Amino acid sequence: KFNVSSPNVVYSDEYITSKYAYNTTELIPEQGSDEWTVKPVTKTYTFRTKRKVPKLGVMLVGLGGNNGSTLVAGVIANREGISWRTSKGVQHPNYFGSLLQAATCRLGNYNGEEVHIPFKSMLPSVNPNDIVIGGWDISSMNLADAMARSEVLDYDLQRQLVPYMKDIVPLPAIYDPDFIAANQESRADNTLTGSKTEQIAKIRQDLQNFKSNNHLDQVIVLWTANTERFSEVVVGLNDTYDNLKASIEREEPELSPSTLFALACIEEGVPFINGSPQNTFVPGVIEAAIQKKSVIAGDDFKSGQTKMKSVLVDFLIGAGLKPRSIVSYNHLGNNDGCNLSAPQTFRSKEISKSNVVDDMVASNSLLYAPGEHPDHVVVIKYVPYVGDSKRAMDEYISEIFMGGQNTIVMHNTCEDSLLAAPIILDLVLLAEIATRIEFAIDGEEFHGFHPVCALLSFLTKAPLVPPGTPVVNALAKQRAMIENIFRACLGLSPENNMMMEFK
């Protein structure tokens, strides 16, 4: 634990309040030339963070899938202190893979040694063991059986978790076979009926019941269900909030289940996070979120291959090397792979994975001419035998000094759901923290972050950002954004790694 001793930081029972000098630059182009005038700018921010953490509930769309059942199992195992035996000996529960629970950040130096603290110690945050989890699924299978079906966790752990999970049954979910692969139909025995208006009303009622029945202060919803195909964005259909509402009334077919879930959450004032790659957030949904000041975030968990890509391409371009070809091949055997075997759902994933290098390429005009881009190919194949143990193989070919080539080949075995579950935790916990932070600029009124929560970009393949905001995919920059905003809430300068005290 630590406290900041500064005239710019005040601790009260309710808030941590800090005054923070935000230093940035303003660029002014010189007319008729390629020169710029760079003007340092300082703005004074006052941050106010509520210290009391809520009793938090999380509702997952896709509760009975591999990710949902694995997350619930992991939280219960950690909460109950359940250990289990494997061929490698006794294993103990942990939250490895979670930024907040298992990573640290630098606080400063003491006697020439760097001092690091757990990320979760920076600001008050919910203990994941205290989260109440529920949700929906198109399959009625209880979570003990769903856990067994997923074949993710060791048998001895599953055996001990059955008493805790056998009575957890998902609520009926919205199902539209036009948006996912036909091979999912056999699972769909737990679906909502009625019109789209009635389905949205039922989701809203589920949210209200979950909150009241569990005596919760706050609920966050996260989509970890099947990847849907992309929805068509059409003027008059889903391009504005009013048109989207009218389309729901008309029972327009081109409205995806995830969009209906998102809209139900927005109208209920519940944060909604999209963990899959489809375009859930059509313009009408984004307009609704902004209008109602309801948090939305996405898209698509960044867990394995794409996380590595956002590090490696940033490194190559930052080192002055020119990636010319990036080829990514995956095969996996879980239900996600089964659903992605349909061309229309694979296209959603292909788009999500392909855009991850765009901002890094655009950052270096010395390497890339306007409009130039490396060849970038993504392939995903369904191989049932490998189950949840996804294989990702990548080849990066870069142009180097004097016309030479450098080739990097990588093989990455990703335990898909074991990587995704802690990311789900981070997404909901960071979203919750974001709802407790307010700030004012140069003495203006306090307000929260933009409803489109870019703070969660570190955890997503295709970060959703407010209109007009640059998209950042480089992993180190995304992590630095979270860390430095946390530091600003404590009146601390951003971590700049200059270390001038030792120069």
Side-chain angles (χ1 to χ4, degrees):
K1 290 185 178 181
F2 68 96
N3 285 305
V4 177
S5 177
S6 167
N8 294 323
V9 180
V10 176
Y11 291 87
S12 68
D13 290 341
E14 189 173 3
Y15 295 107
I16 302 171
T17 304
S18 70
K19 287 193 180 299
Y20 177 79
Y22 177 59
N23 297 308
T24 184
T25 52
E26 180 181 315
L27 298 180
I28 304 168
E30 296 290 340
Q31 289 188 348
S33 75
D34 58 357
E35 294 187 5
W36 295 84
T37 297
V38 183
K39 180 181 177 183
V41 175
T42 299
K43 294 185 178 181
T44 301
Y45 280 67
T46 302
F47 285 90
R48 189 169 69 181
T49 307
K50 289 182 181 176
R51 301 186 72 178
K52 182 183 177 183
V53 299
K55 183 177 181 183
L56 180 65
V58 174
M59 297 193 78
L60 303 177
V61 190
L63 178 65
N66 286 26
N67 290 344
S69 60
T70 301
L71 175 66
V72 172
V75 169
I76 292 172
N78 275 276
R79 186 185 69 212
E80 302 297 329
I82 298 173
S83 298
W84 65 101
R85 291 186 177 276
T86 72
S87 61
K88 294 183 173 65
V90 177
Q91 304 294 315
H92 304 287
N94 59 54
Y95 284 117
F96 291 176
S98 163
L99 175 71
L100 288 176
Q101 306 304 313
T104 63
C105 51
R106 180 180 173 274
L107 190 60
N109 289 284
Y110 179 73
N111 289 340
E113 296 288 333
E114 293 201 334
V115 176
H116 291 81
I117 60 169
F119 226 113
K120 63 184 179 183
S121 298
M122 290 285 283
L123 294 176
S125 62
V126 172
N127 184 332
N129 293 351
D130 296 333
I131 295 174
V132 180
I133 304 177
W136 306 264
D137 202 286
I138 61 173
S139 169
S140 63
M141 186 177 286
N142 71 70
L143 257 63
D145 290 342
M147 173 178 62
R149 177 181 61 186
S150 69
E151 300 179 353
V152 172
L153 298 170
D154 291 315
Y155 171 75
D156 190 42
L157 176 57
Q158 290 191 40
R159 177 185 60 79
Q160 297 178 75
L161 287 168
V162 166
Y164 299 94
M165 298 179 66
K166 62 184 177 61
D167 296 325
I168 304 175
V169 178
L171 297 165
I174 302 172
Y175 171 64
D176 187 337
D178 182 52
F179 280 88
I180 56 177
N183 56 35
Q184 299 301 299
E185 186 178 2
S186 61
R187 288 189 175 220
D189 63 354
N190 192 42
T191 61
L192 287 176
T193 58
S195 67
K196 288 179 169 58
T197 299
E198 292 169 337
Q199 290 173 345
I200 289 175
K202 182 62 172 68
I203 297 303
R204 294 186 66 176
Q205 187 62 56
D206 289 342
L207 289 165
Q208 295 165 15
N209 292 344
F210 183 69
K211 186 174 183 179
S212 62
N213 292 345
N214 293 287
H215 309 289
L216 302 171
D217 300 312
Q218 186 175 6
V219 176
I220 293 175
V221 173
L222 183 141
W223 178 281
T224 182
N226 281 318
T227 294
E228 299 172 332
R229 67 167 175 83
F230 259 48
S231 301
E232 289 189 40
V233 177
V234 180
V235 173
L237 175 76
N238 51 15
D239 59 323
T240 69
Y241 182 28
D242 286 340
N243 287 342
L244 183 58
K245 289 189 290 186
S247 297
I248 291 169
E249 290 289 334
R250 295 195 306 268
E251 288 291 304
E252 291 283 356
E254 193 60 22
L255 299 175
S256 70
S258 66
T259 290
L260 299 181
F261 266 101
L263 198 60
C265 292
I266 290 166
E267 293 181 343
E268 200 60 31
V270 170
F272 181 88
I273 301 165
N274 178 32
S276 292
Q278 70 271 351
N279 61 338
T280 296
F281 300 120
V282 293
V285 171
I286 295 174
E287 183 181 307
I290 294 172
Q291 182 177 314
K292 293 185 175 292
K293 296 184 169 67
S294 188
V295 172
I296 57 174
D299 293 308
D300 201 6
F301 306 132
K302 181 160 60 182
S303 58
Q305 184 181 63
T306 307
K307 184 172 284 187
M308 294 299 298
K309 189 175 294 181
S310 67
V311 172
L312 190 56
V313 175
D314 186 38
F315 153 67
L316 290 170
I317 293 176
L321 304 176
K322 183 178 182 178
R324 298 299 302 266
S325 170
I326 304 169
V327 179
S328 299
Y329 168 87
N330 307 255
H331 67 261
L332 69 165
N334 58 18
N335 192 56
D336 184 35
C338 184
N339 180 59
L340 290 174
S341 63
Q344 68 273 23
T345 51
F346 165 70
R347 179 57 182 155
S348 295
K349 179 67 77 172
E350 183 181 34
I351 292 170
S352 172
K353 279 178 166 282
S354 296
N355 293 339
V356 70
V357 303
D358 290 354
D359 62 307
M360 291 168 266
V361 169
S363 72
N364 195 326
S365 60
L366 299 174
L367 296 177
Y368 296 96
E372 187 181 7
H373 203 274
D375 296 335
H376 191 183
V377 177
V378 177
V379 177
I380 301 176
K381 294 297 181 182
Y382 178 51
V383 182
Y385 178 75
V386 302
D388 209 61
S389 187
K390 179 171 69 174
R391 270 62 168 176
M393 286 156 272
D394 296 83
E395 180 189 73
Y396 299 82
I397 303 175
S398 300
E399 187 175 340
I400 62 174
F401 186 58
M402 301 302 289
Q405 285 191 342
N406 170 249
T407 300
I408 298 172
V409 178
M410 181 184 304
H411 185 286
N412 185 359
T413 300
C414 315
E415 299 289 342
D416 213 26
S417 299
L418 295 176
L419 289 171
I423 288 175
I424 293 173
L425 273 181
D426 280 340
L427 284 165
V428 298
L429 293 177
L430 273 173
E432 187 283 313
I433 291 171
T435 64
R436 282 188 285 117
I437 298 173
E438 296 179 310
F439 59 92
I441 307 171
D442 292 331
E444 296 176 356
E445 292 283 326
F446 277 98
H447 58 84
F449 290 114
H450 194 283
V452 179
C453 191
L455 188 65
L456 276 57
S457 297
F458 175 79
L459 303 158
T460 59
K461 286 188 182 76
L464 184 73
V465 299
T469 302
V471 177
V472 175
N473 283 293
L475 197 71
K477 292 180 181 178
Q478 293 172 332
R479 189 186 192 278
M481 174 176 63
I482 301 171
E483 181 176 350
N484 288 330
I485 286 176
F486 278 25
R487 291 176 68 90
C489 291
L490 297 167
L492 300 176
S493 299
E495 186 62 87
N496 56 34
N497 297 304
M498 291 174 68
M499 299 182 71
M500 291 303 297
E501 61 267 40
F502 299 106
K503 300 295 186 285

